[in-house]
Amino acid sequence: MRNSALSSHHQIIINLLSCFIFLQAGIIHVESKVPAVIVFGASMVDAGNNNPLPTISKCNFSPYGRDLEGGKATGRFSNGRIVTDFISQAFGNKPLVPAYLDSSYGIEDFATGVTFASGGTGFDNKTADVSSAIPLWKEVEYFKDYKIRLATLLGKKAAIKTIKEAVYIISLGTNDFLINYFGLPDRSLHFTLKEYENFLTGIANNFIVELYRLGARKISLGGLPPLGCLPIKRTLVAGHACNEEFNTAAKSFDMKLKSLAAKLSGELQGSKVVFSDIYHIVMDVIQKPSLYGFENVKNGCCGSGRFEVSYLCHRWNPLTCKDASKYAFWDAVHPSEKLHFIIANNMMKTSLTEFV
Ligand SMILES: *[C@@H]1O[C@H](CO)[C@@H](O)[C@H](O)[C@H]1NC(C)=O
C-alpha cells in the first residue's frame, strides 16, 4: 500500500517532470509560425555574399567577426552577429542567418533562413555597379533559385508554405544616398533629391510586388539610419556633429517608404507589409548613450573610428578599441553587435509584432 502510494507519488513527479521538460522544449524549439527569416538588402544584413566577389565592399578578414564564436570573419560587417541573426533567434529559429553564396552552407541550412544581401548595393542598379555589389534584381534571381532548391528539398507543397509563412526583412537605401547620390555627380545632376527619392521608392514598390508574386506575404521594409550621424559623415562636420542635411534626407525617404508599406499592405491581398523604423532607435542611442551602456557613439571601434570601413578596417590598426560593446558603431559606417541587437530588439517590439 505504502509502496504503491510512493510509486504513484513518484509517477506524478515523473509526469510533472516530463511535462516540465516538454514545456522547456516547447519554449526553446517553439513551433514557430515563422519557418524562416529571408533577407534582402545591403551591408547591414549581409552575412558574406560579397566574399567571392571582386569588390572592395568586403570584410571577411579580422578584426571583423572577432566577437563571433571562433572569432571568424564571415563577411558580416560587424564585430559579431547582425540584426537579422537576432531577429531569427527571436522568432525561435537559428542564431545565425547564413549567406546564400557561402559555400559552407547548403539548402538544408537555407531552408530555415537565408540572406541574399550584398554590402554596397542599393535600390538603384547604379549603386551596385559603383560598388561592384550584387544588384537588387539579382538578389531576386537568387531567391527564385532558392525556391526551386527548397521545393526539391521539402516537396512543392511544404516549400510554398515556407515561402508564404517566412518573414522577409528588407534593409537597403543607405548606399544610394551616401555612395551614389551625394557621392557621385551622375544621379545628382539628373535628379533633384525629391525626384531621386521617388525614383528609389518606385523601385522598392516593384521589388515588393515581385516578392509578393513569388509568394512572400510577411514583409518588413526597413528605413534608413540617421545617415548624418554615421561616424564617416561626422568626420567632415565641425566638432564632429551630425550632418543635418543627410539626416533630413533619411527622414524624408523614410516617410516615403512608410507610406509605400501602408499602400502595398492595402493593395496586395493577404499580405502584411510593415515599415521598420531604424532612425529613431539609433538616434535615441546616440542622444542617450549611457542609457544603453555605450561610452562612444561618435566613432567606430575600428581604427580611428572616423573613416575606416572594409579594407581600411584591418587587424594591423593599433587604434582599434578593446571592447566593442562600449561603442555604438563597429566601423565608420556599421553598427557594433550591441547596436545590432538593440535595433533587432526594437523591431521585434514594434513593426515585427505583426508577424509573431
Ligand atoms: C536594373 O537592371 C535590371 C537588369 O538589367 C533591369 O531589368 C531593371 O529594369 C533595372 N532597373 C531599373 C530601375 O532601371
Side-chain angles (χ1 to χ4, degrees):
M1 182 78 187
R2 251 197 93 142
N3 245 349
S4 85
L6 193 67
S7 78
S8 74
H9 188 69
H10 267 148
Q11 195 53 50
I12 289 167
I13 288 174
I14 288 163
N15 282 345
L16 277 174
L17 260 178
S18 54
C19 216
F20 179 69
I21 289 162
F22 177 77
L23 273 178
Q24 284 278 26
I27 290 161
I28 297 160
H29 309 284
V30 62
E31 189 55 42
S32 175
K33 281 181 285 181
V34 173
V37 170
I38 299 177
V39 186
F40 295 89
S43 55
M44 269 283 285
V45 293
D46 185 356
N49 285 310
N50 280 7
N51 296 354
L53 299 184
T55 170
I56 59 156
S57 183
K58 237 172 173 164
C59 60
N60 55 338
F61 40 79
S62 150
Y64 284 97
R66 73 177 191 188
D67 296 316
L68 276 179
E69 211 180 304
K72 190 166 182 272
T74 53
R76 286 172 174 77
F77 288 78
S78 164
N79 55 303
R81 292 159 69 197
I82 56 176
V83 58
T84 33
D85 296 325
F86 291 115
I87 289 171
S88 172
Q89 191 172 28
F91 277 120
N93 294 337
K94 59 195 173 190
L96 290 170
V97 176
Y100 194 57
L101 301 185
D102 187 332
S103 57
S104 48
Y105 296 93
I107 188 64
E108 316 75 41
D109 306 299
F110 302 140
T112 54
V114 61
T115 175
F116 302 100
S118 168
T121 201
F123 286 109
D124 186 351
N125 283 336
K126 207 175 152 81
T127 306
D129 283 354
V130 172
S131 309
S132 307
I134 301 167
L136 189 56
W137 65 266
K138 198 157 177 192
E139 290 189 23
V140 176
E141 291 302 307
Y142 284 126
F143 177 56
K144 291 178 188 166
D145 181 59
Y146 168 73
K147 279 184 63 183
I148 294 167
R149 291 170 68 193
L150 196 66
T152 309
L153 179 76
L154 305 176
K156 203 168 172 206
K157 219 172 137 191
I160 289 170
K161 191 169 147 74
T162 292
I163 293 297
K164 184 178 170 200
E165 291 176 358
V167 164
Y168 294 78
I169 305 287
I170 303 167
S171 161
L172 76 168
T174 290
N175 302 314
D176 293 309
F177 292 95
L178 282 195
I179 299 176
N180 195 344
Y181 191 84
F182 290 118
L184 295 166
D186 185 69
R187 290 309 195 198
S188 47
L189 215 57
H190 296 101
F191 293 88
T192 65
L193 184 56
K194 285 248 162 327
E195 284 167 353
Y196 192 59
E197 287 171 3
N198 292 339
F199 172 65
L200 299 182
T201 307
I203 296 169
N205 178 82
N206 297 345
F207 166 59
I208 292 173
V209 170
E210 172 84 345
L211 286 188
Y212 176 82
R213 208 180 58 74
L214 292 168
R217 292 295 178 268
K218 305 173 184 176
I219 302 169
S220 156
L221 176 59
L224 300 182
L227 297 176
C229 297
L230 301 181
I232 203 163
K233 279 295 130 198
R234 285 183 186 257
T235 296
L236 304 171
V237 180
H240 297 157
C242 298
N243 177 319
E244 287 311 324
E245 184 195 1
F246 281 67
N247 280 355
T248 304
K251 278 188 281 191
S252 145
F253 186 55
D254 271 5
M255 292 301 290
K256 294 191 172 160
L257 294 183
K258 196 174 174 179
S259 322
L260 175 66
K263 179 194 84 113
L264 289 172
S265 260
E267 284 174 8
L268 305 174
Q269 270 235 317
S271 80
K272 260 186 196 160
V273 185
V274 298
F275 172 73
S276 291
D277 186 320
I278 305 298
Y279 189 99
H280 291 98
I281 181 65
V282 174
M283 208 53 171
D284 201 54
V285 165
I286 288 168
Q287 285 166 349
K288 297 171 227 152
S290 59
L291 197 65
Y292 296 89
F294 289 119
E295 289 174 5
N296 190 327
V297 295
K298 292 188 173 178
N299 304 97
C301 162
C302 192
S304 72
R306 301 239 173 103
F307 61 88
E308 292 91 343
V309 62
S310 299
Y311 283 108
L312 297 176
C313 170
H314 55 69
R315 77 183 79 181
W316 299 282
N317 198 319
L319 298 171
T320 297
C321 85
K322 293 276 177 290
D323 181 0
S325 73
K326 296 194 163 72
Y327 282 68
F329 292 93
W330 160 247
D331 64 18
V333 175
H334 303 103
S336 63
E337 178 179 55
K338 187 163 161 190
L339 182 54
H340 270 287
F341 171 77
I342 291 167
I343 294 169
N345 204 27
N346 184 258
M347 285 171 72
M348 288 306 299
K349 284 195 276 184
T350 56
S351 56
L352 302 185
T353 51
E354 297 271 346
F355 304 139
V356 174

